[in-house]
Amino acid sequence: MPDNKLTAPARRSDTTRAAILDAARERFAADGYERATIRTIARDAGIDPSMVMRYYGSKEGLFAAAVAVDLKLPDLGPLPRDEVGSALVTHFLAMWEENEVLTALLRVGATNQAGAERMQGIFQEQLLPVARQACPDPEQVPVRAALTATQLLGLALTRYVLRLPPAVALSRQEIVAWLAPTVQRYLTAPNP
Amino acid sequence: MPDNKLTAPARRSDTTRAAILDAARERFAADGYERATIRTIARDAGIDPSMVMRYYGSKEGLFAAAVAVDLKLPDLGPLPRDEVGSALVTHFLAMWEENEVLTALLRVGATNQAGAERMQGIFQEQLLPVARQACPDPEQVPVRAALTATQLLGLALTRYVLRLPPAVALSRQEIVAWLAPTVQRYLTAPNP
DNA sequence: CGACTTCGTCAACGCTTGTTGGCCTACAGG
DNA sequence: CCTGTAGGCCAACAAGCGTTGACGAAGTCG
């Protein structure tokens, strides 16, 4: 049978470990880092709190293991220049709604220094390369990527964390229609 | 001597109360609600933790008293239609940088249900009326105001909370130049 | 001066948190 | 079958939290 590459030797406790990670993601997303307790996470997973410590070492270790983010940003290379905004916004919306990890990370990043640094890392390692594909002037890539981040994270904040009613009520298509031109301009327009 | 309207009769402890509020704002802004403790706030203010309880009743009461937000949004009436975006972005930047209360509120709103509801209230009572002045179609006001909020709060999040380096490095004029057209479009453009 | 309110400190409470170590159970390999 | 090891639970710990009430100091007013 084809195993995972060359990682773990398939321990007997894998289902428990996975249950812990699932519960942790849910709690971190709903409550943030400080209010999500190991005890409630363990109860959600149906096991003893000490198991969490044994498998993940500490609360920080658990958070690090639970929130492993891959934005899976698309390759903008083959795309027409004027569709990158719409492609990015659509992709972000889909990622955010299928995966509570992103909400967890945003919540924690807003309170916790370690969380904020993790988000800086994701920005640098995942968004910057994509912006490099869309932005003509290489020197401007960080600025353009940061502007894009303000709009995309602002949407996530108001829609998934603060839940401003009008932002929640918007349909995905409406959001794309409104935000795509903004992101498009931030990435590809000449300096204003 | 001309007193404040008809509020407090000027107690002797007013300086202490103010010191508590100052320390509280600073701690809430830096650490968020859960990690900011009454004990550290009291130590910062140079008094005993029990004083905080006496004057503000509870930690929640302290937060409510410390974070009283008035955005002082300008009257858009007399402004040319095509300058509302720039006026709003400029004003938001100024408010945010002179006052750590807004950062405190944003941090808490991201973790705490009560904080999120407070932000919803500010949106409804302060941003909505201003949007009404700029937006031609009354029925669209909530949507347009929410879109504006995504961009403005997204800027605050990346620049003042997450501190993405390129977002921090931007000058105020650059930010206005980039964001003003976005906000202008969200408020005044016809449906996309 | 003496009575009374206000300001402030101190010590403690009950509770929750992350974390630890010991113990029982059950499966695996020889 | 028997032994070793990994999975799991239980009880407890030290620390920190918000909160409370008693008590002394200091100012206020008759």
Side-chain angles (χ1 to χ4, degrees), chain A residues 73 122-133 141-143 145-146, chain B residues 166:
Chain A
L73 292 177
I122 292 173
F123 170 81
Q124 194 158 342
E125 291 157 24
Q126 302 192 42
L127 185 56
L128 268 187
V130 174
R132 221 182 307 274
Q133 293 186 302
V141 166
V143 174

Side-chain angles (χ1 to χ4, degrees), chain B residues 12-13 16 39 48 50-51 54-55:
Chain B
R12 186 155 39 97
S13 61
T16 299
R39 284 171 154 91
D48 191 89
S50 61
M51 300 303 296
R54 173 132 46 179
Y55 291 147

